Amino acid sequence: MSGFNLLDTLIRDLRYGLRMLRRSPVFTGVALLSLALGIGANTALFSVMDALLLKMLPVKDPQQLVQMRSQISFPAFQKIRERNQVFSSAFVYTYMLLLPSASVRIGSEPEQATGVLVSGDYFSVLGVDAVAGRTLTPEDDRIPGTGGAQGPVAVISYAYWQRRFTLDPGVIGKTITVNSVPVTIVGVTPPHFYGTNQTVSPDITLPMMLQPRTSPSASTELWAHGDKGSMLSYDLTDQYGPSMIARLKPGVTIAQAQTQVNVLYQQILTERAGGKPDEATRRENLEKRLELAPAGNGYEGWDPGMRVVLLVIMAAVPALVLLIACANVANLLLARAAARQKEVAVRLAIGAGRGRLIRQFLTESLLLAIGGAALGLAVASGFRQLILNWLTANINVPFHLAAETDLRVLGFTAAISLAAALVFGLAPAFRAVRAELGPMLKDGARLTGGRGWEASKALVVAQVGLSLLLLICAGLLLQTLRNLRLFDPGFQRANLYATWSEFQGGRPGNGPMVKELARRMENLPGAQASAVTFNYPSGGFNGARFKISVDGRIPFSGDDAYVNRLLVGPGVFQTLGLQLLSGRQIEVRDDENAPKVCLVSAAVAKLFFAGQNPVGRHFKFERTGAESTAEIIGVMQDVKNTESKDKLLHAVYCPVLQDLPLGDVSVLVRIPGDPTATLTELRRRFQEFDRNIFVEVRSLDQWASADLLLQRFFATLASAFGALALLLASAGLYGVMAYSVSRRTTEIGIRMAVGAGRTSVIRMVVRETMKLVAIGIVIGLLAALAATRLVANALFGVKPTDPVTIGIAVFVMIAVTLIAGYAPARRAAGVDPMVALRHE
């Protein structure tokens, strides 16, 4: 019976709590709104962070999956798969071309889709079955160029089946063309399977053996090696290989697997060097190690420092907002507890226990938390969609993130709601039942001062401090974003436009085709200059890194021995506005039939040639052998490194016509006026050149902005939550000061009756407000000095202790809180002394 009595008591507490909340609609509405914003923001960001970094892939035993953090050549992968003792199975995959997209022809017009190439045991390793048809098998991936007995095959995703084929069951056996290669659809993946990357959901999955035909590598090394863009047989380096995921055997740890894999890798490197590497090669091989990381949550090579920053911002920022919201509700409950002292006194006098009353107050807090959670889920849904829409609109590659309100998110919401109820409910509940019965039962008794009022002030101070911390972080990230946008690469980026184009079936093929494309791009109306190229500085890719030797020797070790090789076309430097310091520029005659030549940046000339004139000297790219020996024909002015922006780019510019065939090429155009007509004509000429070419044109500023995705996301997120925190803190300050004025009505009346003016009363209230704000600012500054070090890796051009940013944040905090405190001050100054003296 005790269980039924407890349930009956709980039901009565809930009913009484609902009646009390219904009697105070303003209090209830403000409390629910504060909690909805705090809980909703935390739920939305948790669902995004969970899908991005935490949630396991919907595959069999995802905790057993590990990923190679670096690429590995396909032959090396085959050897590791055959010889290892720690993996039960393994597969490799690579996205198609530079972006995970493919040109698909289903009807008459080509369209873009997300494509991935996988080894034949991809689906069996993951334990994923088809919902229609079948998945790929090793047999589909065994015969180069055919894909098995029935020819090339493909598996499509459920989302693509629904979007493009309206769930037509007749899609099985249908032939489509992917990058000019006909393939037969043999299966459809389950609805909730999105591949091995949480942010990229492939529409089409193809066997790895189709890579040379559907997505030949753009690396000139592979073509120079005679592999025609195929990574399947190339084994001189691992730089151009696919990504590898393996399943650990039961009982094997990642550390154990990594140790054995690296032993195998050293054997592979020795075999790669012909079995007898020289001393320099042996030392270099010993420095190479493979690193394994958990792959069960879709981990795909996050930079550890940036991953920490992402976790800190996406977890700490909304948590601080929730704490501020809880402080608001706690202040409201403290004020409400003071107003209910007579009720509490009567209930204690007729026999109610203090523990019983505390439980009743906590029940009302729990009801507020439940209501805030319900509203918070609605807020979270809208806010999450805003985040996903923002990410989709600002990411260059096809983006997919399965962030949704599932059981994990509901559990998280329930947990933080319960925690919030305890945080904001305990102090007011204990405060309400702690006072003495005698004074509370007297007629006209009021709460004057005491610990309840001190607790309210402490909560306001905490709100101000936390809000200032968020404002400083937001300011630092906004300053970083501004510095990155104003970053000077060493040439004038304004009025420059660049294309990204994907040649159907792979690549232009030879020098005459590229020359023809360059000829078609000449004399564009409204263009000051134009050039066809493969790389360009500040293009989001600083070129491939190569170790070079000068006069047969490698003069440096470590990073200093490497340069960034960029393949550029004639006219690129004139289009960019870079100055030639000595020698000559790359010309049309520097094609595949001419001697190998290159230009070097001034930084390379200074480092490798010690102030001597490098023109006419020779050097060799160590990675590709004697064929890469080139003569230096000129020295170009320096540009900045777009990856480490405080350094100069050690650039070597090689003629694009000497490293054909290429994958995709860019057209650089400088347009001083309105670009509309020029870009329209550019697209038209591209279509005349090849109607299957997919062309995207953006200004260099737009391309650079796209590279700042994480920085813009951090800055936008921190700014939005900083503003929300400031709003909540201001509301809390307003509420506390308004309550202070109401409880001091008699005091204010006496002051005005004995001669105090309105100005002095306003000054008194504002002074009290600013005392709280000043203490909060000091606490916030101390917290910021410690917390901003956690985001130091995400900052550029600004220190965590930047005085300008901190000064602006403090000014904004003072200005907003001064406005919030001025309204109660004016109300206090409007008190009628006679009414105030009769207030008690």
Side-chain angles (χ1 to χ4, degrees), residues 592-676:
E592 64 268 35
N593 299 316
K596 299 282 187 178
V597 296
C598 67
L599 288 88
V600 297
S601 65
V604 170
K606 181 179 179 181
L607 178 64
F608 285 88
F609 298 97
Q612 300 177 13
N613 184 11
V615 177
R617 301 282 293 274
H618 291 76
F619 68 83
K620 181 173 65 176
F621 292 111
E622 285 298 309
R623 187 168 294 171
T624 54
E627 292 182 351
S628 62
T629 300
E631 178 186 351
I632 299 174
I633 60 172
V635 179
M636 296 301 302
Q637 77 171 76
D638 283 320
V639 296
K640 298 285 186 65
N641 192 321
T642 59
E643 294 170 358
S644 54
K645 296 177 172 56
D646 57 337
K647 298 180 180 179
L648 297 174
L649 182 66
H650 286 182
V652 172
Y653 303 100
C654 298
V656 71
L657 296 174
Q658 292 189 340
D659 284 283
L660 291 171
L662 302 173
D664 43 82
V665 294
S666 294
V667 176
L668 282 177
V669 187
R670 184 173 290 280
I671 309 172
D674 183 0
T676 305

Side-chain angles (χ1 to χ4, degrees), residues 229-416:
S230 171
M231 63 175 63
L232 301 178
S233 59
Y234 182 79
D235 197 31
L236 293 183
T237 72
D238 295 302
Q239 182 177 356
Y240 308 108
S243 299
M244 172 182 166
I245 289 181
R247 184 176 291 280
L248 295 174
K249 288 184 177 180
V252 177
T253 65
I254 292 182
Q256 292 170 338
Q258 185 165 299
T259 299
Q260 196 204 82
V261 165
N262 276 290
V263 172
L264 284 175
Y265 189 51
Q266 289 300 315
Q267 296 174 3
I268 292 170
L269 292 176
T270 300
E271 294 172 5
R272 185 179 289 169
K276 295 181 180 179
D278 57 39
E279 184 62 25
T281 302
R282 192 183 67 82
R283 285 198 304 268
E284 183 177 345
N285 288 344
L286 287 175
E287 296 176 0
K288 296 178 180 179
R289 291 186 57 80
L290 298 177
E291 183 178 350
L292 299 179
N297 61 350
Y299 176 87
E300 187 127 340
W302 280 92
D303 175 76
M306 193 59 70
R307 192 169 189 265
V308 169
V309 171
L310 187 63
L311 285 170
V312 167
I313 291 179
M314 294 186 69
V317 170
L320 293 179
V321 172
L322 180 60
L323 285 176
I324 294 172
C326 288
N328 262 1
V329 179
N331 269 330
L332 290 171
L333 288 174
L334 283 171
R336 193 163 179 265
R340 294 176 63 182
Q341 280 195 351
K342 185 66 67 66
E343 171 205 339
V344 172
V346 171
R347 296 178 71 178
L348 288 171
I350 62 177
R354 294 182 186 269
R356 178 71 178 80
L357 291 180
I358 289 175
R359 190 172 71 186
Q360 174 61 51
F361 278 95
L362 287 178
T363 300
E364 294 177 22
S365 299
L366 182 61
L367 286 172
L368 285 175
I370 292 173
L375 292 175
L377 285 174
V379 172
S381 178
F383 188 59
R384 179 178 62 241
Q385 195 57 49
L386 286 176
I387 294 175
L388 295 178
N389 290 343
W390 188 94
L391 289 171
T392 303
N394 288 276
I395 293 180
N396 285 334
V397 299
F399 176 81
H400 168 84
L401 188 63
E404 54 191 14
T405 304
D406 55 15
L407 291 178
R408 291 164 59 91
V409 174
L410 291 176
F412 173 81
T413 304
I416 62 171

Side-chain angles (χ1 to χ4, degrees), residues 109-129:
E109 294 296 328
E111 58 189 58
Q112 294 297 305
T114 308
V116 65
L117 295 145
V118 302
S119 54
D121 43 8
Y122 172 81
F123 289 103
S124 62
V125 173
L126 295 176
V128 174
D129 296 321

Side-chain angles (χ1 to χ4, degrees), residues 157-231:
S157 70
Y158 187 92
Y160 192 63
W161 184 35
Q162 183 178 46
R163 183 176 72 249
R164 190 61 184 81
F165 299 99
T166 62
L167 302 181
D168 178 12
V171 72
I172 305 301
K174 185 179 181 65
T175 298
I176 61 176
T177 301
V178 180
N179 285 359
S180 298
V181 178
V183 297
T184 301
I185 298 174
V186 295
V188 179
T189 58
H192 297 292
F193 176 70
Y194 306 111
T196 57
N197 187 325
Q198 297 285 31
T199 61
V200 180
S201 176
D203 297 320
I204 301 173
T205 304
L206 299 169
M208 181 63 73
M209 287 299 172
L210 289 179
Q211 180 266 326
R213 296 176 59 189
T214 61
S215 185
S217 172
S219 167
T220 55
E221 279 198 48
L222 272 66
W223 288 85
H225 188 252
D227 288 324
K228 297 183 179 180
S230 171
M231 63 175 63

